[in-house]
Amino acid sequence: MHTQPFDAAAGARRPVGEDGPGCLDRDRLHAGIVDPEMDSMRILSETAMKFPAALSFSSGAPHDGNHDLSKLSYYTDRYLKHLEDQGVPRQRITRLMFQYGPVNGFIQDEVVRMLRHDEDIEVGPEAVMITHGFQEATLVALRGLFSSPDDVLLAVSPAYVGIRGAARMLDIPLRPVPEGPHGLDPEDVAAAARAVRAEGRRPVAVYLVPDFSNPSGTVVPLDARRRLLEVAAEEDLIILEDNPYGLFAPDGEKMPTLKSLDERRRVVYLGSFAKSAFPGARLGYLIADQEVTDADGTRRALAQELSKAKAMFTVGSSSLSQAVIGGMLVDHDYDLTTPTRELAAVYLERLDAALRALAEHFPPERYAEHGVRFNTPRGGFFVVVEVDFEADLAAMEHSARHYGVSWAPMRMFHLDGGGRRALRLGISNLDPQDIRTGIARLARFIADTPRTGV
Ligand SMILES: Cc1ncc(COP(=O)(O)O)c(C=O)c1O
């Protein structure tokens, strides 16, 4: 497989004066391209390929044990059969698969039924847009909601790199709201909104992952969820709820999504099939049931209005991916909770293996000696480890090359420059034995790295 080195963006160096026709000054490209922080998504997903000999804790790639190539055609056929059973003529099905399709997609009905079953979310198909993953859902939502350079996005910090990247690519200013051990505190969101307003700018929306956040694994408690919805109404904010990990909660611990509690239509829900199905489909969805009123009084769901952005970003989502995921939903009777229980058990076992191995290598009572602390999330794909040295990309590469273990610098996720002495371990793609071996290697790397104090 061909892989590029991380510094590929810099390209081959040429002596000054050798620039020929067609050469562009990099500094004149968009800030989102020039900013090295915008390389984080690529780095996270390519670290495992770059260091094939290392055990990789770098990404949140899902477990690949259950994948089976024959399922791709099985689910596609299942979906096509489902359309036939509904009386859709063969010629129309053929056009649907081979032609440009509806911009907002064609599996909204199936997604609506899944949301009702899995998340207790009640929306009509007109409020759903099928997107190219969470990432496009976010770009579309941000593009539609932010109309002035003074519109500010509040975002939990640390946060998934996809939100910072999407905001940056659209030149939307971000205001970090630091989270605590229980995720975003609603009063901090209210205070941040007021502070932005006091500067003469408009806080438009707040982004968070209420369930097993990436990177910190936090879960927002139920009363804070209710309060967040109140704050959103009081401060006139839209909540951008990103929820790829909620289905993987331990038995009996699944929390209601903000969207399911959203009586005042304050939440735009950004869904992904990356973890509940598979990321290669690059499929997700946006739920926006807010009513938009025209000058002539016509009302349409926000998801319909946002269609213009979707059309101009990607025209529509892949018919093949929609058929595969649609078939999967039909085949499982619109219930992804039951099939993901087995997968949840796999992830919880991995998380447990990681936390036990960390506790063994870094007992809290010997903190003064090893200088390491780690959090203990109840679910999700990630553990955060605080160390006593700069855990940057160079340190990660050294760890991967010389100790056979890679991870992600927490700095990549902090929106406010923090996280320099912390790293994120993604436990989802390694089996428990590899996790134990990987953490033993990490312990050696940490022991050999000079502590620099704070
Ligand atoms: C917080 C968060 N949101 C969304 C996603 C999935 O995004 P996408 O559907 O674009 O693959 C991930 C995947 O790592 C994630 O961690």
Side-chain angles (χ1 to χ4, degrees):
M1 187 179 295
H2 174 73
T3 58
Q4 291 183 314
F6 290 155
D7 58 0
R13 302 225 177 274
R14 256 190 277 186
V16 177
E18 276 197 15
D19 290 356
C23 281
L24 294 178
D25 183 349
R26 193 161 170 269
D27 290 341
R28 294 183 63 177
L29 301 181
H30 185 264
I33 308 295
V34 178
D35 182 349
E37 286 187 347
M38 291 299 107
D39 225 9
S40 50
M41 185 75 87
R42 192 174 66 84
I43 291 172
L44 292 175
S45 49
E46 293 182 5
T47 297
M49 286 185 263
K50 187 177 177 196
F51 302 104
L55 291 169
S56 174
F57 289 105
S58 322
S59 83
H63 171 46
D64 29 29
N66 293 344
H67 295 317
D68 172 356
L69 277 178
S70 68
K71 287 280 186 191
L72 294 176
S73 50
Y74 171 79
Y75 286 135
T76 307
D77 290 345
R78 187 78 178 84
Y79 184 71
L80 302 183
K81 171 86 175 35
H82 166 72
L83 293 180
E84 274 179 13
D85 291 348
Q86 290 187 322
V88 182
R90 194 145 183 96
Q91 201 194 358
R92 249 185 74 200
I93 298 178
T94 309
R95 276 188 71 82
L96 191 66
M97 293 309 296
F98 285 95
Q99 269 299 357
Y100 287 108
V103 170
N104 277 17
F106 56 77
I107 60 165
Q108 289 92 323
D109 286 337
E110 288 75 19
V111 170
V112 162
R113 293 183 67 172
M114 172 203 78
L115 289 168
R116 184 177 302 137
H117 179 277
D118 287 344
E119 303 292 356
D120 206 13
I121 292 176
E122 276 296 339
V123 285
E126 73 292 345
V128 179
M129 174 191 288
I130 308 300
T131 59
H132 210 82
F134 156 87
Q135 198 61 28
E136 192 199 17
T138 303
L139 285 164
V140 166
L142 293 180
R143 183 60 297 148
L145 292 170
F146 289 73
S147 56
S148 141
D150 286 331
D151 288 353
V152 176
L153 172 64
L154 311 179
V156 63
S157 179
Y160 174 51
V161 293
I163 189 69
R164 182 212 296 242
R168 192 67 195 268
M169 291 302 165
L170 297 176
D171 292 316
I172 292 172
L174 254 184
R175 168 73 55 117
V177 187
E179 68 173 349
H182 303 295
L184 261 193
D185 182 325
E187 304 317 323
D188 290 346
V189 174
R194 279 182 228 126
V196 167
R197 222 171 268 119
E199 292 162 10
R201 302 199 289 168
R202 188 171 74 112
V204 170
V206 54
Y207 165 86
L208 78 156
V209 183
D211 296 281
F212 309 114
S213 70
N214 175 7
S216 351
T218 54
V219 176
V220 176
L222 187 57
D223 51 353
R225 289 176 195 235
R226 294 194 199 285
R227 179 70 191 126
L228 256 178
L229 290 163
E230 279 171 16
V231 165
E234 286 160 16
E235 302 295 335
D236 193 17
L237 292 172
I238 289 287
I239 297 178
L240 297 173
E241 179 177 25
D242 174 13
N243 179 28
Y245 304 111
L247 283 182
F248 303 109
D251 283 338
E253 292 189 26
K254 187 172 180 314
M255 299 280 276
T257 58
L258 288 162
K259 188 67 196 160
S260 68
L261 304 169
D262 179 28
E263 286 166 6
R264 288 186 261 190
R265 300 195 204 177
R266 281 280 152 197
V267 179
V268 168
Y269 188 88
L270 306 164
S272 172
F273 287 107
K275 311 292 151 106
S276 54
F278 60 103
R282 298 307 307 124
L283 217 65
Y285 51 93
L286 170 143
I287 305 175
D289 57 350
Q290 292 71 18
E291 277 187 350
V292 182
T293 318
D294 261 357
D296 66 4
T298 318
R299 291 174 179 209
R300 299 209 307 164
L302 178 60
Q304 298 297 316
E305 290 293 332
L306 293 177
S307 205
K308 290 158 201 146
K310 161 84 179 156
M312 288 304 171
F313 283 146
T314 56
V315 184
S317 293
S318 151
S319 58
L320 288 173
S321 287
Q322 291 189 75
V324 174
I325 299 296
M328 178 183 276
L329 294 175
V330 172
D331 200 53
H332 292 295
D333 209 10
Y334 311 100
D335 163 10
L336 289 186
T337 303
T338 309
T340 46
R341 277 297 76 199
E342 217 175 288
L343 206 49
V346 169
Y347 293 132
L348 290 167
E349 186 192 8
R350 291 173 180 202
L351 181 59
D352 183 61
L355 294 176
R356 281 175 195 274
L358 285 167
E360 202 178 293
H361 289 282
F362 305 108
E365 62 278 9
R366 288 188 14 227
Y367 171 73
E369 179 192 326
H370 54 66
V372 171
R373 283 199 183 104
F374 54 94
N375 67 345
T376 54
R378 303 257 329 134
F381 285 18
F382 308 104
V383 180
V384 177
V385 180
E386 287 173 40
V387 293
D388 209 355
F389 54 85
E390 195 92 3
D392 56 12
L393 212 48
M396 188 283 283
E397 296 210 10
H398 184 73
S399 166
R401 214 168 259 127
H402 301 288
Y403 293 83
V405 61
S406 67
W407 35 267
M410 273 297 283
R411 173 71 196 82
M412 285 183 173
F413 306 96
H414 278 262
L415 306 177
D416 53 3
R420 293 183 183 280
R421 292 163 182 275
L423 52 98
R424 186 196 73 173
L425 300 180
I427 52 86
S428 45
N429 198 242
L430 291 174
D431 66 31
Q433 187 48 49
D434 281 345
I435 286 174
R436 286 187 279 274
T437 308
I439 288 177
R441 292 179 185 182
L442 179 72
R444 274 196 297 280
F445 163 71
I446 289 175
D448 288 353
T449 306
R451 292 170 67 174
T452 48
V454 181

